[in-house]
């Protein structure tokens, strides 16, 4: 610092103070450092999670633009697109926000959301303006960074509370994603996906809304309700449609059978069978095999009835391997399964038209059906179909008695038994006695009318026409009812005490239609025409009576007081 | 001694002549005044032979702008909202966009003004500072020239910020299309301001000081 130009100056050497200390200016870089440090820290904390999602095609995915959305919130951004090494897909590199870390597990599914117009509506409309996006559905499992995208949206709603179940069907039919699930006509869920299953059957993912989930039981049955059901029969026509939307989109419905002990609530992942129709669903039950000599017009729609009620349905008819027998597959509703036992006999009910008998006329229209007589043996599932109904099909709990006649006449099983022209029972079986000297006719008297039969009762064949000619009395024709005339039958009468007979002035009350019968007739016993209690003891089960060819006149006039059973 | 070395007989520095320039009113004061009074006799400002703490302050400001340079370039400088879709862009992404769209001139301009210039300024000042402290005696004239350039460019460096401000004001159609300044704009402005301040606090005479003596 010495300055030799200013010579002669009397200035003292300046006192040099060294000033040590940090300039406050250094606060500035410090602040900058703090800001930068904070930014770095934030970027580290918020640093995205790099994830690779493999797509079959990257159509509509844009680098730096396409987002991954979760519940409408962007959680990731596509950073780069790289074609696979084997050219079989596109690796989409996505950076996820840190908070999405726990969503990235093995079960997580990704798929593209594109605008889509279909029967169930227009979806993904927002993508038209904002571009396609990748949707995700978090799943379970370990965290991972490698995913393979689905080619189509998965069942959408595992996040929505409700029940996820599966149906298996043989055919997708008109069901599509978005088809509804109905319960008594009310929408309770929807179909989310239809796909081919492992066994080439159609697996349908179904979602049931939470509030309706308790309706679904383990034993519930699903059936397709697409379109219109038309049913016709003697009783009239029935047209059934589900909601209009079901008509358009198809749908499934379910019901829960009541018969079984209340089933448990269905749980997520349960699998149900989808039946083609409600009938088929109702029919659902065990399969049985019937073998017969002749197809006899049995088809896939032939019903199996028991006492007039439908209990099952034939599902298929085919020949056996030897081409000798016809094999019929039929399904029996579960609640009637107990009828399928050793000893159960099946036969086909066909219309029968004839002078003597017209039967089963309804089968002309409703078709023939199979019926059965249940056996009592062990359960089994293979039966032989008999050519005709077995002789005895009655298991009724009436009074069973046996009549003995010299010959059968026109009596045959099911012929009526009359008491004062009222049908009170029927013939159940006709057979030869063991030593072939007579014919035994088994008769079943309805329990209500059982007291009418007493040990002294007389039985006679009511079939045919009785004609008598007399010079003075003119011609006399006696018949039972017209039905008895055509079909034949058995009539009986029970005498009053003291074996007396009574005459009546009115032929309405008399036994049988008496044409030209004289009003005044001789009475075997001069007693007032007052009814009295019947004679003999009450008939017991298995009692034997003689079956006369024709009644004696007196029998027709018996009129004991007998209280009918209730 | 110094004059013989470099300036020769034709020129001497004020300091060599025993004078101190008042930095406020530019009055040339005798060194004696400085030593007795320490203040300018005319304007009363404190007299200093060189700018106060010039090197340290310049360093501090320079380092500040150097630090800010990073967020300015790495963070998005503006957000373009197009049809509701927000798209943040860094400076480099903007350059990239213009290259891809084929307007290389604009791409170059942006790249030059927003990246080359700030980096050049910071690096230039740093070089000058280092050459003083390390007593590197070469290229002194070039360094001075460079420093002058840095000071000159300084006022234009805010251009980027002006452009953004202008676009934010002009492009404003709600969610349809709008532009907003993003964080990097602040840091970028910070870089510009602190480099200008650094250039200002630097006393150019320090460049020659070593060689003068």
């Amino acid at each position: 610092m010495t300055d030799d130009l200013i010579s002669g100056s009397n200035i003292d050497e300046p006192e040099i103070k060294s000033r040590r200390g940090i300039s406050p200016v250094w606060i500035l870089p410090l602040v900058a450092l703090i800001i930068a440090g904070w930014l770095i820290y934030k970027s580290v904390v918020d640093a995205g999670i790099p994830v690779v999602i493999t797509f079959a095609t990257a159509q509509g995915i844009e680098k730096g633009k396409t987002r991954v959305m979760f519940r409408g919130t962007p959680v990731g951004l596509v950073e780069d697109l790289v074609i696979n090494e084997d050219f079989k897909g596109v690796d989409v590199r996505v950076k996820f926000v840190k908070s999405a870390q726990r969503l990235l597990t093995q079960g997580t599914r990704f798929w593209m959301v594109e605008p889509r117009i279909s029967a169930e509506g227009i979806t993904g409309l927002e993508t038209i303006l904002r571009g396609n996006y990748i949707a995700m559905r978090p799943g379970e499992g370990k965290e991972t960074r490698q995913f393979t995208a689905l080619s189509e949206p998965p069942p959408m709603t595992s996040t929505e509370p409700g029940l996820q179940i599966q149906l298996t069907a043989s055919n997708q039919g008109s069901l599509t994603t978005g088809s509804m699930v109905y319960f008594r006509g009310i929408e309770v869920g929807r179909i989310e996906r239809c796909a081919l299953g492992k066994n080439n059957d159609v697996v349908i993912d179904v979602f049931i809304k939470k509030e309706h989930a308790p309706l679904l039981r383990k034993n519930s049955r699903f059936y397709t309700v697409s379109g219109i059901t038309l049913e016709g029969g003697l009783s009239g026509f029935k047209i059934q449609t589900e909601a209009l939307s079901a008509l358009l989109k198809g749908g499934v419905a379910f019901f829960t059978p009541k018969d079984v002990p209340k089933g448990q609530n269905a749980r997520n992942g349960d699998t149900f069978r989808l039946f083609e129709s409600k009938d088929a669903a109702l029919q659902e039950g065990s399969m049985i095999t019937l073998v017969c000599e002749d197809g006899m017009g049995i088809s896939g729609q032939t019903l199996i009835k028991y006492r007039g009620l439908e209990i099952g349905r034939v599902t298929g008819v085919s020949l056996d391997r030897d081409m000798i027998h016809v094999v019929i597959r039929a399904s029996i509703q579960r609640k009637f399964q107990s009828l399928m036992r050793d000893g159960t006999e099946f036969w086909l009910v066909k219309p029968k038209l004839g002078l003597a008998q017209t039967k089963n006329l309804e089968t002309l229209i409703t078709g023939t059906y199979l019926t059965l007589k249940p056996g009592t043996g062990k359960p089994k599932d293979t039966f032989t179909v008999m050519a005709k109904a077995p002789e005895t099909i009655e298991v009724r709990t009436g009074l069973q008695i046996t009549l003995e006649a010299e010959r059968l006449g026109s009596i045959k099983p099911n012929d009526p038994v009359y008491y004062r022209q009222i049908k009170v029972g029927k013939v159940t079986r006709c057979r030869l006695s063991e030593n072939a000297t007579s014919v035994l006719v088994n008769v079943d008297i309805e329990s209500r009318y059982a007291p009418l039969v007493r040990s002294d009762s007389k039985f006679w064949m009511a079939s045919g026409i009785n004609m008598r000619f007399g010079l003075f009395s003119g011609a006399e024709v006696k018949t039972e009812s017209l039905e008895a005339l055509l079909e034949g039958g058995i009539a009986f009468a029970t005498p009053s005490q003291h074996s007396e007979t009574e005459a009546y002035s009115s032929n309405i009350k008399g036994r049988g239609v008496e044409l030209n019968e004289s009003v005044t007739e001789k009475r075997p016993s001069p007693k007032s025409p007052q009814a009295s209690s019947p004679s003999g003891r009450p008939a017991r089960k298995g009692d034997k009576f003689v079956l006369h060819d024709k009644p004696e006149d007196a029998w027709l006039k018996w009129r004991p007081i007998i209280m009918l059973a209730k | 001694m110094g004059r013989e070395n470099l300036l020769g007989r034709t020129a001497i520095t004020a300091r060599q002549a025993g004078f101190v320039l008042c930095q406020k009113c530019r009055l040339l004061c005798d060194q004696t005044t400085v030593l007795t009074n320490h203040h300018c006799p005319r304007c009363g400002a404190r007299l200093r032979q060189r700018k106060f703490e010039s090197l340290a302050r310049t360093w501090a400001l320079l380092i500040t702008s150097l630090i800010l340079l990073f967020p300015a370039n790495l963070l998005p400088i503006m957000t373009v909202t197009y049809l509701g879709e927000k798209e943040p862009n860094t400076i480099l992404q903007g350059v990239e966009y213009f290259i891809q769209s084929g307007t290389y001139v604009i791409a170059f301009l942006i790249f030059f003004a927003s990246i080359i210039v700030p980096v050049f300024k910071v690096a230039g000042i740093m070089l000058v500072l280092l050459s003083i402290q390390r007593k590197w005696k070469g290229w002194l004239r070039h360094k001075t020239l460079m420093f002058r350039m840095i000071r000159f460019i300084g006022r234009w460096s805010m251009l980027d910020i002006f452009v953004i401000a202008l676009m934010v004001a002009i492009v404003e159609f709600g969610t349809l299309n709008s532009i907003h300044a993003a964080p990097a704009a602040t840091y970028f402005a910070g870089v510009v301001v602190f480099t200008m301040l650094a250039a200002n606090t630097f006393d150019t005479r320090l460049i020659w000081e070593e060689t003068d003596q």
Side-chain angles (χ1 to χ4, degrees):
Chain A
M1 278 287 216
T2 50
D3 205 324
D4 47 9
L5 278 178
I6 309 167
S7 51
S9 64
N10 51 356
I11 301 165
D12 299 333
E13 275 296 301
E15 184 187 351
I16 296 172
K17 285 191 265 179
S18 71
R19 187 175 152 272
R20 286 278 170 257
I22 298 168
S23 161
V25 183
W26 285 101
I27 290 171
L28 282 174
L30 206 68
V31 169
L33 256 181
I34 289 168
I35 292 174
W38 178 70
L39 284 174
I40 290 168
Y41 168 78
K42 216 181 125 199
S43 68
V44 168
V45 166
D46 292 349
I49 306 160
V51 163
V52 177
I53 306 172
T54 306
F55 281 81
T57 164
Q59 196 168 15
I61 301 178
E62 273 182 88
K63 192 161 132 182
K65 271 204 170 155
T66 307
R67 292 167 191 284
V68 180
M69 308 286 273
F70 175 60
R71 291 187 175 229
T73 318
V75 290
L77 186 68
V78 172
E79 292 212 311
D80 205 0
L81 301 169
V82 185
I83 294 176
N84 259 358
E85 282 170 11
D86 51 2
F87 305 113
K88 277 183 182 158
V90 182
D91 286 342
V92 177
R93 285 162 210 272
V94 179
K95 190 142 268 183
F96 275 87
V97 295
K98 198 106 180 175
S99 55
Q101 185 170 12
R102 284 192 301 160
L103 298 175
L104 301 170
T105 53
Q106 279 173 340
T108 304
R109 296 281 169 266
F110 295 91
W111 68 94
M112 277 305 292
V113 175
E114 300 160 332
R116 197 181 273 240
I117 299 173
S118 59
E120 67 261 28
I122 301 168
T123 58
L125 204 60
E126 72 275 19
T127 58
I128 290 175
L129 281 186
R130 308 179 66 181
N132 297 348
Y133 62 88
I134 300 169
M136 69 181 290
R137 195 185 81 187
E140 313 258 301
K142 284 185 203 163
E143 273 189 29
T144 177
R145 300 286 178 261
Q146 283 276 351
F147 297 96
T148 303
L150 303 172
S151 54
E152 57 178 42
M156 285 279 298
T157 45
S158 68
T159 49
E160 195 180 323
L163 204 56
Q164 299 269 348
I165 54 149
Q166 282 193 328
L167 302 178
T168 53
S170 54
N171 197 327
Q172 183 178 348
S174 59
L175 300 175
T176 55
T177 305
S179 293
M180 291 298 171
V181 179
Y182 298 93
F183 180 78
R184 293 171 195 261
I186 291 178
E187 283 180 21
V188 295
R190 65 178 168 274
I191 290 176
E192 304 199 311
R193 199 166 67 112
C194 302
L196 270 185
K198 278 177 196 159
N199 310 321
N200 281 347
D201 51 353
V202 178
V203 176
I204 300 164
D205 289 321
V206 170
F207 170 78
I208 306 286
K209 290 177 198 159
K210 189 188 176 193
E211 63 264 35
H212 300 305
L215 295 174
L216 189 60
R217 305 274 171 168
K218 292 241 189 235
N219 60 343
S220 295
R221 293 181 199 163
F222 284 83
Y223 57 93
T224 328
V225 292
S226 332
I228 305 173
T229 317
L230 194 73
E231 271 177 46
L234 274 182
S235 48
F237 277 101
K238 194 168 96 177
I239 299 176
Q240 201 181 5
T241 66
E242 292 291 327
L244 193 65
S245 57
L247 258 170
L248 289 173
K249 296 189 273 174
V252 299
F254 69 87
F255 65 92
T256 306
K258 282 175 196 147
D259 49 342
V260 241
K262 222 178 178 188
Q264 288 178 305
N265 280 348
R267 264 184 269 155
N268 269 343
D270 278 356
T271 303
F272 295 86
R273 209 178 122 198
L274 179 63
F275 295 95
E276 310 226 318
S277 67
K278 186 169 186 178
D279 282 344
L282 282 166
Q283 295 303 321
E284 194 266 350
S286 56
M287 298 300 291
I288 58 163
T289 306
L290 302 171
V291 180
C292 61
E293 300 286 333
D294 185 359
M296 296 182 292
I298 295 171
S299 71
Q301 287 305 310
T302 305
L303 302 177
I304 297 171
K305 293 185 178 180
Y306 175 62
R307 290 179 186 260
L309 289 179
E310 182 182 335
I311 61 161
R313 192 171 283 225
V314 172
T315 57
V317 182
S318 61
L319 279 174
D320 69 356
R321 263 187 218 161
D322 309 330
M323 303 286 175
I324 293 170
H325 298 289
V326 175
V327 178
I328 300 163
R329 298 282 295 160
S331 86
I332 301 292
Q333 293 176 34
R334 198 147 279 161
K335 56 186 169 184
F336 298 114
Q337 207 177 336
S338 56
L339 295 172
M340 303 298 122
R341 292 178 175 277
D342 204 12
T344 299
E345 292 174 318
F346 283 86
W347 69 95
L348 188 69
V349 177
K350 289 186 281 197
K352 195 169 176 183
L353 281 169
L355 188 61
Q357 204 179 22
T358 300
K359 267 171 88 178
N360 310 325
L361 207 57
E362 80 278 10
T363 56
L364 276 178
I365 291 151
T366 58
T368 54
Y369 60 87
L370 285 161
T371 189
L372 63 98
K373 180 184 81 99
T376 51
K378 288 177 189 166
K380 71 177 211 175
D381 59 0
T382 305
F383 304 93
T384 308
V385 178
M386 310 205 307
K388 56 175 187 170
E391 296 282 290
T392 53
I393 58 164
E394 287 309 316
V395 286
R396 291 189 183 166
T397 55
L399 174 66
Q400 269 129 44
I401 52 174
T402 310
L403 307 179
E404 195 169 10
E406 281 180 18
R407 61 178 70 85
L408 186 57
S410 58
I411 305 291
K412 54 193 178 303
N414 278 331
D415 274 357
V417 177
Y418 298 102
Y419 182 82
R420 293 181 193 280
Q421 276 187 307
I422 300 279
K423 189 184 168 189
V424 295
K426 64 180 175 179
V427 175
T428 55
R429 198 173 165 205
C430 308
R431 63 179 197 276
L432 268 178
S433 66
E434 275 167 28
N435 51 14
T437 55
S438 60
V439 174
L440 296 178
V441 177
N442 290 44
V443 169
D444 181 76
I445 306 292
E446 292 171 33
S447 45
R448 178 171 146 76
Y449 298 115
L452 294 173
V453 185
R454 312 281 293 191
S455 57
D456 289 344
S457 294
K458 300 288 184 193
F459 288 80
W460 67 91
M461 292 189 197
S463 36
I465 306 170
N466 253 338
M467 292 175 85
R468 251 194 287 173
F469 296 94
L471 251 165
F472 304 104
S473 57
E476 193 184 16
V477 181
K478 279 189 193 173
T479 72
E480 290 291 321
S481 67
L482 191 64
E483 192 187 357
L485 182 71
L486 290 172
E487 288 192 14
I490 294 170
F492 73 93
T494 303
S496 305
Q497 261 170 4
H498 318 300
S499 303
E500 77 254 21
T501 54
E502 291 149 27
Y504 290 101
S505 54
S506 158
N507 55 10
I508 298 168
K509 289 178 182 173
R511 189 71 188 88
V513 179
E514 294 173 10
L515 301 171
N516 300 329
E517 192 185 6
S518 63
V519 172
T520 54
E521 206 176 326
K522 278 187 181 170
R523 295 166 206 161
S525 160
K527 210 188 170 189
S528 68
Q530 289 298 315
S532 62
S533 53
S535 78
R537 58 165 177 85
R540 281 194 293 266
K541 188 179 176 180
D543 275 358
K544 241 178 196 180
F545 297 86
V546 176
L547 181 61
H548 302 273
D549 275 349
K550 54 186 179 187
E552 290 170 19
D553 285 345
W555 300 351
L556 299 174
K557 296 178 178 96
W558 288 341
R559 192 172 155 242
I561 295 174
I562 300 170
M563 297 310 290
L564 298 181
K566 294 197 175 157
Chain B
M1 316 167 220
R3 65 183 181 227
E4 280 141 2
N5 290 342
L6 183 72
L7 303 170
R9 283 266 163 214
T10 49
I12 55 168
T13 64
R15 182 192 267 181
Q16 284 166 344
F19 292 105
V20 176
L21 188 71
C22 169
Q23 286 172 26
K24 297 290 179 302
C25 67
R26 301 270 148 185
L27 178 72
L28 194 63
C29 307
D30 197 335
Q31 213 170 23
T32 45
T33 6
V34 179
L35 294 171
T36 53
N37 197 12
H38 301 290
H39 290 278
C40 173
R42 187 167 71 182
C43 69
R46 175 137 196 183
L47 286 174
R48 296 182 194 280
Q49 276 190 334
R50 296 288 179 264
K51 284 182 181 172
F52 183 63
E53 290 182 336
S54 175
L55 277 183
R57 287 185 177 193
T58 309
W59 266 121
L61 293 167
L62 195 69
I63 288 168
T64 308
S65 55
L66 182 68
I67 291 168
L68 292 181
L69 208 55
F70 288 95
N73 280 292
L74 295 177
L75 293 178
I77 197 155
M78 68 182 189
T79 307
V80 180
T81 311
Y82 183 68
L83 291 176
E85 190 78 2
K86 284 184 180 179
E87 194 186 336
N89 283 304
T90 63
I91 296 171
L92 268 177
Q93 278 169 341
V95 174
E96 197 187 342
Y97 169 78
F98 282 112
I99 289 176
Q100 276 174 357
S101 63
T103 44
Y104 298 106
V105 178
I106 294 177
F108 174 76
L109 273 179
I110 293 174
F111 183 70
F112 185 79
S114 306
I115 292 174
I116 299 272
V117 168
V119 171
F120 164 73
K121 285 197 298 188
V122 171
I125 296 174
M126 202 177 286
L127 181 73
V128 172
L129 287 177
L130 281 174
S131 66
I132 290 165
Q133 290 195 322
R134 298 275 158 186
K135 304 189 196 324
W136 296 331
K137 289 177 183 171
W139 301 90
L140 287 183
R141 285 191 175 198
H142 296 92
K143 283 171 189 167
T144 324
L145 190 69
M146 181 178 72
F147 192 80
R148 234 183 276 158
M149 256 175 73
I150 288 168
R151 288 188 81 159
F152 172 76
I153 299 170
R155 69 200 71 168
W156 294 103
S157 298
M158 274 304 213
L159 203 65
D160 291 64
I161 302 299
F162 292 149
V163 167
I164 291 169
L166 210 65
M167 283 180 41
V168 167
I170 292 172
V171 186
E172 179 54 80
F173 303 104
T175 51
L176 209 59
N177 195 351
S178 60
I179 293 175
H180 295 281
T186 315
Y187 300 115
F188 189 85
V191 172
V192 174
V193 168
F194 284 115
T195 37
M196 281 174 78
L197 285 176
N200 256 341
T201 42
F202 180 67
D203 198 327
T204 37
R205 289 171 292 189
L206 292 171
I207 299 175
W208 308 107
E209 208 157 56
E210 194 63 36
T211 45
D212 283 350
Q213 291 170 1

